[in-house]
């Protein structure tokens, strides 16, 4: 779910049910910006006093660390937008969004709630099969998670990634993390980055989760697109009929304006 305010970096405003953040990534129990966090990758340490056995060659390599700074830019050169779809998967609406994307040859990044992925793994597989990317959107979308302990934040980020990967199938990666309501902290961003997930912001908040009307969603995108390429929509959290209708209008318009559909930068 998005904050109700939209800044050029997707890091301002208050989420539904709270969750105020700033460009530093939030405050609360996460600690102060600039702190040196020690967040290791998953794995068992060697027994004290004895040499560790080498990992077998078949063991998966640890994830490569990425930047912990919020990403907003597009990997695609030139004129491009990054469509991001939050809070699913949702029976009915996720498939409708996928259909609109397919009809317009558009790609998107789906920011998936871990508990929803566990409940609807077939929908996650549909997203992957259609060629879209996945983003970790926490276990259960607590927009106040930036006020909770570091252990809670870590659990929300890493347990959700595991749920999404299990639902998606073997070998499918989750290259992004977006905090619910934008409730990032320096600590949660570092946890995500050290496990190969780039923290994902936004530039255009459509506020479609408020169901303001299809025309208002469309007008918001056209008015704020100059702020940057990453646009926030939703396929979960309620009736998303207005979102589907807005996408049906916006995607052809974006192509007419010369925009390509890309993905947010990871590195």
């Amino acid at each position: 779910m998005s904050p109700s305010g939209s800044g050029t970096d997707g890091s301002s405003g208050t989420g539904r049910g709270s969750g105020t953040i700033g460009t530093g990534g939030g405050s609360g129990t996460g600690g102060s910006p600039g702190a040196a966090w020690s967040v290791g990758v998953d794995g068992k340490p060697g027994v004290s006093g004895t040499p560790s056995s080498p990992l077998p060659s078949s063991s998966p390599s640890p994830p490569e660390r990425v930047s912990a700074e919020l990403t907003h830019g597009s990997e695609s050169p030139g004129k491009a937008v990054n469509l991001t779809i939050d809070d699913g998967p949702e029976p009915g609406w996720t498939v409708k969004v996928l259909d609109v994307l397919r009809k317009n040859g558009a790609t998107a990044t789906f920011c998936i709630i871990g508990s929803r992925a566990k409940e609807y793994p077939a929908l996650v597989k549909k997203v992957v099969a259609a060629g879209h990317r996945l983003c970790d959107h926490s276990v259960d979308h607590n927009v106040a998670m930036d006020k909770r302990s570091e252990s809670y934040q870590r659990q929300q980020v890493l347990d959700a990634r595991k749920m999404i990967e299990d639902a998606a199938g073997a070998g499918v990666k989750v290259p992004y993390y977006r905090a619910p309501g934008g409730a990032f902290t320096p600590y949660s961003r570092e946890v995500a980055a050290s496990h190969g997930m780039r923290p994902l912001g936004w530039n255009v908040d459509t506020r479609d989760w408020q169901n303001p009307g299809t025309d208002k969603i469309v007008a918001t995108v056209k008015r704020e697109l100059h702020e940057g390429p990453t646009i926030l929509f939703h396929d979960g959290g309620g009736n998303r009929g207005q979102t589907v209708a807005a996408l049906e209008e916006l995607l052809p318009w974006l192509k007419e304006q010369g925009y390509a559909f890309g993905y947010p930068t990871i590195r």
Side-chain angles (χ1 to χ4, degrees):
M1 199 67 66
S2 73
S4 58
S6 77
T8 56
D9 61 358
S11 59
S12 63
T14 304
R16 186 172 74 174
S18 78
T20 301
I21 59 173
T23 54
S27 58
T29 56
S32 60
W37 303 110
S38 178
V39 183
V41 297
D42 295 332
K44 297 180 180 179
V47 179
S48 177
T50 60
S52 300
S53 299
L55 290 173
S57 59
S58 59
S59 295
S61 58
E64 184 178 349
R65 191 192 190 284
V66 295
S67 171
E69 296 301 313
L70 290 177
T71 184
H72 311 93
S74 180
E75 289 182 346
S76 299
K79 201 173 179 181
V81 294
N82 308 319
L83 306 175
T84 62
I85 317 291
D86 284 22
D87 293 3
E90 184 79 28
W93 298 118
T94 299
V95 171
K96 290 180 187 297
V97 169
L98 287 172
D99 285 344
V100 178
L101 295 173
R102 177 183 53 80
K103 290 174 184 176
N104 289 275
T107 55
T109 299
F110 282 74
C111 299
I112 292 177
I113 297 173
S115 58
R116 303 294 284 174
K118 186 174 182 179
E119 188 173 3
Y120 302 110
L123 289 177
V124 179
K125 288 180 173 66
K126 284 183 181 292
V127 170
V128 173
H132 306 293
R133 287 188 186 176
L134 303 179
C135 172
D136 177 337
H137 200 35
S138 82
V139 171
D140 53 20
H141 203 277
N142 179 359
V143 298
M145 66 176 281
D146 57 329
K147 306 301 190 294
R148 300 290 296 273
S149 68
E150 290 176 1
S151 62
Y152 176 84
Q153 294 176 50
R154 183 180 181 87
Q155 173 263 326
Q156 285 285 311
V157 175
L158 298 185
D159 285 7
R161 184 188 69 161
K162 179 67 163 56
M163 292 173 181
I164 296 165
E165 289 178 341
D166 287 349
V172 178
K173 303 299 183 184
V174 181
Y176 307 100
Y177 166 68
R178 174 176 278 167
F184 293 98
T185 67
Y187 179 78
S188 67
R189 288 191 287 108
E190 183 61 28
V191 169
S194 66
H195 287 78
M197 295 182 291
R198 182 75 186 265
L200 176 57
W202 60 84
N203 303 107
V204 181
D205 180 359
T206 65
R207 302 174 185 84
D208 59 336
W209 60 272
Q210 295 177 325
N211 284 324
T214 299
D215 290 346
K216 285 190 176 181
I217 296 171
V218 170
T220 296
V221 173
K222 292 182 177 180
R223 182 180 65 251
E224 298 183 8
L225 191 55
H226 70 279
E227 299 283 358
T230 302
I231 310 173
L232 178 59
F233 295 98
H234 294 79
D235 64 337
N239 187 315
R240 298 278 75 92
Q242 292 180 10
T243 299
V244 173
L247 287 169
E248 288 174 337
E249 184 174 341
L250 281 167
L251 299 190
W253 178 82
L254 286 165
K255 290 195 291 185
E256 289 170 1
Q257 304 305 306
Y259 286 95
F261 300 104
Y263 293 112
T265 53
I266 297 174
R267 302 296 172 190

